[in-house]
Amino acid sequence: MMREDRPSGVFLTVLAIVTLLVPILHLAVPEGHVLHLSGYTVTLIGKYMCYALLAVAVDLIWGYCGILSLGHTAFFALGGYAMGMYLMRQIGTRGVYGDPVLPDFMVFLNWKELPWFWHGMDVFPFAMLMVLFAPGLLAGVFGWLAFRSRVTGVYLSIITQALTYALLLAFFRNEMGFGGNNGLTDFKDLLGFDLKHPETRIVLFMATAVALGAGYFTCRAIVRSRFGRVVQAIRDAESRARFIGYRVENYKLWLFTFSAMLAGVAGALYVPQVGIINPGEFAPINSIEVVIWVAVGGRGTLYGAVVGAIMVNYAKTVMTDALPDAWLYVLGALFVVVTLFLPRGVVGLLPDLKHKLQTLRQRRARAIST
């Protein structure tokens, strides 16, 4: 890979080093040492990796197929809710009300029995299947209706944003059975392991790193395959691709559904590390931020999406602590600057700089020869 695609090889190498180094610095290095990583830092890095996987999912459809989704956090949140439902079922009698079956919020709302869609969520394999099935089903139905109707461009983007806003309003209702405004929280353990234990935290971190690497490698394989070349042809000239015989709708639907399932996996890994999932994850502004991550890093590169997600979220962590009122203005200005002056994102600076240096060397060589 280092020979064929050096940036991807560098990314996966760095990811492997971080995956090995973080557990050592967290578990082996004693607290108080300058090299010790706190539990907060490990969780923060894990959260950044979840966001990076979500950004890769968005870049796959936007950068390579031209589908600008402004509602992809809906799939992220659905995967998170599926994981949250499993974690809530594991609490059992350790909840505030001590009910062995009903989560605390259902007891508080005087629910008498568990809703039908909560059944089976106490079984880990079934819950993980729902992590893929819930966002995949929604994306499949939505994509089938949208792509068959040949909805494209800004119209498709607006519809995706309306989709996530509709889900936001629906999940806010207590009648939906997902915790209403408060969402799902107060998780205790995962597969019998305490979520607050350092070893559990590290396992979740490493699982996120493996998922990011596997998701990235899978997306890279897709875009470099014959299928990926057809998808890029659809992005560049959809009408021409349809004219020469390709079923454009089928290609779009498959890629959109796969991307949604990848976003669901990111959401499922996000919830046990952060400790909460609520309807706020459906907010349209979150999906817009994901698009900004991809644009800042470099659209259509995959590794650029990872760089953008980590850069912007790190800046958000710092800025919201130092200047909380100014963060949204900084984010908006960043997007405008990147759009106007860095159309290929941050990762596009290196090839441009290399080209300029080569040009300067050539001019200097000509000047010396003359």
Side-chain angles (χ1 to χ4, degrees), residues 184-205:
L184 308 177
T185 187
D186 195 30
F187 309 130
K188 305 297 184 184
D189 53 45
L190 173 64
L191 293 174
F193 297 97
D194 186 0
L195 288 173
K196 296 181 181 179
H197 202 275
E199 280 78 4
T200 307
R201 187 183 298 118
I202 285 297
V203 170
L204 286 170
F205 165 81

mmCIF file of all heavy atoms in Angstrom, residues 184-205:
data_model
loop_
_atom_site.group_PDB
_atom_site.id
_atom_site.type_symbol
_atom_site.label_atom_id
_atom_site.label_comp_id
_atom_site.label_asym_id
_atom_site.label_seq_id
_atom_site.Cartn_x
_atom_site.Cartn_y
_atom_site.Cartn_z
ATOM 1 N N LEU A 184 -30.948 8.248 26.235
ATOM 2 C CA LEU A 184 -30.547 7.056 26.972
ATOM 3 C C LEU A 184 -29.191 7.310 27.620
ATOM 4 O O LEU A 184 -28.245 7.755 26.953
ATOM 5 C CB LEU A 184 -30.447 5.851 26.025
ATOM 6 C CG LEU A 184 -31.676 5.577 25.145
ATOM 7 C CD1 LEU A 184 -31.400 4.394 24.211
ATOM 8 C CD2 LEU A 184 -32.920 5.319 25.984
ATOM 9 N N THR A 185 -29.085 7.019 28.904
ATOM 10 C CA THR A 185 -27.834 7.278 29.626
ATOM 11 C C THR A 185 -27.772 6.403 30.865
ATOM 12 O O THR A 185 -28.591 5.503 31.042
ATOM 13 C CB THR A 185 -27.705 8.768 29.994
ATOM 14 O OG1 THR A 185 -26.418 9.019 30.541
ATOM 15 C CG2 THR A 185 -28.801 9.189 30.960
ATOM 16 N N ASP A 186 -26.800 6.669 31.726
ATOM 17 C CA ASP A 186 -26.576 5.923 32.960
ATOM 18 C C ASP A 186 -26.241 4.461 32.678
ATOM 19 O O ASP A 186 -26.679 3.555 33.382
ATOM 20 C CB ASP A 186 -27.801 6.014 33.881
ATOM 21 C CG ASP A 186 -27.474 5.562 35.308
ATOM 22 O OD1 ASP A 186 -26.316 5.739 35.724
ATOM 23 O OD2 ASP A 186 -28.367 5.005 35.981
ATOM 24 N N PHE A 187 -25.447 4.240 31.638
ATOM 25 C CA PHE A 187 -25.049 2.879 31.280
ATOM 26 C C PHE A 187 -24.096 2.320 32.329
ATOM 27 O O PHE A 187 -23.291 3.056 32.911
ATOM 28 C CB PHE A 187 -24.383 2.860 29.906
ATOM 29 C CG PHE A 187 -25.177 3.550 28.833
ATOM 30 C CD1 PHE A 187 -24.582 4.494 28.004
ATOM 31 C CD2 PHE A 187 -26.520 3.271 28.641
ATOM 32 C CE1 PHE A 187 -25.308 5.133 27.014
ATOM 33 C CE2 PHE A 187 -27.256 3.911 27.665
ATOM 34 C CZ PHE A 187 -26.648 4.842 26.844
ATOM 35 N N LYS A 188 -24.171 1.001 32.529
ATOM 36 C CA LYS A 188 -23.351 0.357 33.561
ATOM 37 C C LYS A 188 -22.210 -0.472 32.971
ATOM 38 O O LYS A 188 -21.061 -0.303 33.341
ATOM 39 C CB LYS A 188 -24.236 -0.538 34.430
ATOM 40 C CG LYS A 188 -25.428 0.160 35.063
ATOM 41 C CD LYS A 188 -25.018 1.257 36.022
ATOM 42 C CE LYS A 188 -26.251 1.859 36.708
ATOM 43 N NZ LYS A 188 -25.903 2.994 37.577
ATOM 44 N N ASP A 189 -22.564 -1.399 32.093
ATOM 45 C CA ASP A 189 -21.527 -2.292 31.579
ATOM 46 C C ASP A 189 -21.852 -2.746 30.170
ATOM 47 O O ASP A 189 -22.961 -2.557 29.664
ATOM 48 C CB ASP A 189 -21.333 -3.504 32.496
ATOM 49 C CG ASP A 189 -22.635 -4.237 32.792
ATOM 50 O OD1 ASP A 189 -23.421 -4.479 31.852
ATOM 51 O OD2 ASP A 189 -22.883 -4.568 33.960
ATOM 52 N N LEU A 190 -20.846 -3.334 29.543
ATOM 53 C CA LEU A 190 -20.955 -3.863 28.191
ATOM 54 C C LEU A 190 -20.398 -5.282 28.195
ATOM 55 O O LEU A 190 -19.225 -5.487 28.549
ATOM 56 C CB LEU A 190 -20.164 -2.987 27.215
ATOM 57 C CG LEU A 190 -20.034 -3.469 25.774
ATOM 58 C CD1 LEU A 190 -21.412 -3.522 25.108
ATOM 59 C CD2 LEU A 190 -19.114 -2.547 24.981
ATOM 60 N N LEU A 191 -21.256 -6.243 27.881
ATOM 61 C CA LEU A 191 -20.861 -7.655 27.913
ATOM 62 C C LEU A 191 -20.319 -8.064 29.289
ATOM 63 O O LEU A 191 -19.412 -8.897 29.400
ATOM 64 C CB LEU A 191 -19.815 -7.947 26.826
ATOM 65 C CG LEU A 191 -20.292 -7.834 25.375
ATOM 66 C CD1 LEU A 191 -19.129 -8.009 24.416
ATOM 67 C CD2 LEU A 191 -21.385 -8.855 25.075
ATOM 68 N N GLY A 192 -20.878 -7.442 30.319
ATOM 69 C CA GLY A 192 -20.461 -7.772 31.677
ATOM 70 C C GLY A 192 -19.264 -7.011 32.187
ATOM 71 O O GLY A 192 -18.864 -7.178 33.343
ATOM 72 N N PHE A 193 -18.672 -6.144 31.380
ATOM 73 C CA PHE A 193 -17.491 -5.379 31.779
ATOM 74 C C PHE A 193 -17.893 -3.942 32.110
ATOM 75 O O PHE A 193 -18.602 -3.296 31.338
ATOM 76 C CB PHE A 193 -16.437 -5.381 30.670
ATOM 77 C CG PHE A 193 -15.902 -6.751 30.351
ATOM 78 C CD1 PHE A 193 -16.415 -7.485 29.293
ATOM 79 C CD2 PHE A 193 -14.891 -7.305 31.122
ATOM 80 C CE1 PHE A 193 -15.933 -8.750 29.001
ATOM 81 C CE2 PHE A 193 -14.392 -8.566 30.838
ATOM 82 C CZ PHE A 193 -14.915 -9.293 29.777
ATOM 83 N N ASP A 194 -17.421 -3.460 33.229
ATOM 84 C CA ASP A 194 -17.746 -2.120 33.707
ATOM 85 C C ASP A 194 -17.213 -1.071 32.734
ATOM 86 O O ASP A 194 -16.024 -1.039 32.422
ATOM 87 C CB ASP A 194 -17.132 -1.917 35.095
ATOM 88 C CG ASP A 194 -17.547 -0.594 35.728
ATOM 89 O OD1 ASP A 194 -18.311 0.161 35.102
ATOM 90 O OD2 ASP A 194 -17.102 -0.322 36.864
ATOM 91 N N LEU A 195 -18.106 -0.194 32.276
ATOM 92 C CA LEU A 195 -17.711 0.815 31.291
ATOM 93 C C LEU A 195 -16.760 1.857 31.869
ATOM 94 O O LEU A 195 -16.054 2.535 31.117
ATOM 95 C CB LEU A 195 -18.962 1.520 30.737
ATOM 96 C CG LEU A 195 -19.829 0.688 29.788
ATOM 97 C CD1 LEU A 195 -21.116 1.430 29.441
ATOM 98 C CD2 LEU A 195 -19.064 0.346 28.514
ATOM 99 N N LYS A 196 -16.737 1.999 33.189
ATOM 100 C CA LYS A 196 -15.857 2.990 33.806
ATOM 101 C C LYS A 196 -14.483 2.423 34.126
ATOM 102 O O LYS A 196 -13.596 3.170 34.561
ATOM 103 C CB LYS A 196 -16.507 3.515 35.089
ATOM 104 C CG LYS A 196 -17.810 4.270 34.843
ATOM 105 C CD LYS A 196 -18.401 4.785 36.140
ATOM 106 C CE LYS A 196 -19.716 5.522 35.879
ATOM 107 N NZ LYS A 196 -20.323 6.017 37.138
ATOM 108 N N HIS A 197 -14.313 1.144 33.914
ATOM 109 C CA HIS A 197 -13.019 0.518 34.217
ATOM 110 C C HIS A 197 -11.991 0.882 33.136
ATOM 111 O O HIS A 197 -12.330 0.929 31.949
ATOM 112 C CB HIS A 197 -13.172 -1.000 34.297
ATOM 113 C CG HIS A 197 -12.107 -1.664 35.084
ATOM 114 N ND1 HIS A 197 -10.893 -2.015 34.529
ATOM 115 C CD2 HIS A 197 -12.040 -2.026 36.393
ATOM 116 C CE1 HIS A 197 -10.133 -2.580 35.453
ATOM 117 N NE2 HIS A 197 -10.799 -2.602 36.597
ATOM 118 N N PRO A 198 -10.738 1.171 33.499
ATOM 119 C CA PRO A 198 -9.727 1.563 32.515
ATOM 120 C C PRO A 198 -9.532 0.541 31.393
ATOM 121 O O PRO A 198 -9.376 0.920 30.225
ATOM 122 C CB PRO A 198 -8.458 1.716 33.362
ATOM 123 C CG PRO A 198 -8.944 2.021 34.732
ATOM 124 C CD PRO A 198 -10.215 1.257 34.884
ATOM 125 N N GLU A 199 -9.537 -0.762 31.743
ATOM 126 C CA GLU A 199 -9.340 -1.777 30.721
ATOM 127 C C GLU A 199 -10.492 -1.784 29.710
ATOM 128 O O GLU A 199 -10.274 -1.952 28.503
ATOM 129 C CB GLU A 199 -9.199 -3.161 31.360
ATOM 130 C CG GLU A 199 -7.824 -3.467 31.924
ATOM 131 C CD GLU A 199 -7.575 -2.801 33.270
ATOM 132 O OE1 GLU A 199 -8.531 -2.162 33.782
ATOM 133 O OE2 GLU A 199 -6.459 -2.901 33.804
ATOM 134 N N THR A 200 -11.711 -1.600 30.206
ATOM 135 C CA THR A 200 -12.869 -1.537 29.298
ATOM 136 C C THR A 200 -12.768 -0.335 28.383
ATOM 137 O O THR A 200 -13.062 -0.414 27.187
ATOM 138 C CB THR A 200 -14.178 -1.470 30.106
ATOM 139 O OG1 THR A 200 -14.224 -2.554 31.038
ATOM 140 C CG2 THR A 200 -15.377 -1.539 29.189
ATOM 141 N N ARG A 201 -12.333 0.782 28.955
ATOM 142 C CA ARG A 201 -12.171 1.997 28.157
ATOM 143 C C ARG A 201 -11.154 1.778 27.044
ATOM 144 O O ARG A 201 -11.359 2.230 25.898
ATOM 145 C CB ARG A 201 -11.728 3.137 29.073
ATOM 146 C CG ARG A 201 -11.691 4.499 28.401
ATOM 147 C CD ARG A 201 -11.181 5.569 29.340
ATOM 148 N NE ARG A 201 -12.048 5.714 30.499
ATOM 149 C CZ ARG A 201 -11.663 5.493 31.753
ATOM 150 N NH1 ARG A 201 -10.429 5.076 31.997
ATOM 151 N NH2 ARG A 201 -12.497 5.672 32.756
ATOM 152 N N ILE A 202 -10.071 1.083 27.354
ATOM 153 C CA ILE A 202 -9.036 0.828 26.356
ATOM 154 C C ILE A 202 -9.547 -0.120 25.270
ATOM 155 O O ILE A 202 -9.264 0.064 24.077
ATOM 156 C CB ILE A 202 -7.772 0.254 27.037
ATOM 157 C CG1 ILE A 202 -7.030 1.358 27.771
ATOM 158 C CG2 ILE A 202 -6.856 -0.396 26.015
ATOM 159 C CD1 ILE A 202 -6.506 2.473 26.879
ATOM 160 N N VAL A 203 -10.301 -1.141 25.667
ATOM 161 C CA VAL A 203 -10.853 -2.079 24.680
ATOM 162 C C VAL A 203 -11.781 -1.350 23.720
ATOM 163 O O VAL A 203 -11.744 -1.580 22.496
ATOM 164 C CB VAL A 203 -11.582 -3.238 25.382
ATOM 165 C CG1 VAL A 203 -12.355 -4.075 24.365
ATOM 166 C CG2 VAL A 203 -10.590 -4.121 26.127
ATOM 167 N N LEU A 204 -12.602 -0.459 24.233
ATOM 168 C CA LEU A 204 -13.487 0.323 23.368
ATOM 169 C C LEU A 204 -12.681 1.222 22.430
ATOM 170 O O LEU A 204 -13.016 1.371 21.248
ATOM 171 C CB LEU A 204 -14.436 1.172 24.213
ATOM 172 C CG LEU A 204 -15.578 0.421 24.901
ATOM 173 C CD1 LEU A 204 -16.297 1.328 25.894
ATOM 174 C CD2 LEU A 204 -16.559 -0.112 23.869
ATOM 175 N N PHE A 205 -11.618 1.804 22.954
ATOM 176 C CA PHE A 205 -10.746 2.638 22.125
ATOM 177 C C PHE A 205 -10.130 1.822 20.992
ATOM 178 O O PHE A 205 -10.133 2.243 19.823
ATOM 179 C CB PHE A 205 -9.647 3.255 22.986
ATOM 180 C CG PHE A 205 -8.507 3.830 22.197
ATOM 181 C CD1 PHE A 205 -8.610 5.086 21.633
ATOM 182 C CD2 PHE A 205 -7.333 3.102 22.001
ATOM 183 C CE1 PHE A 205 -7.561 5.607 20.881
ATOM 184 C CE2 PHE A 205 -6.288 3.616 21.269
ATOM 185 C CZ PHE A 205 -6.402 4.880 20.708
#
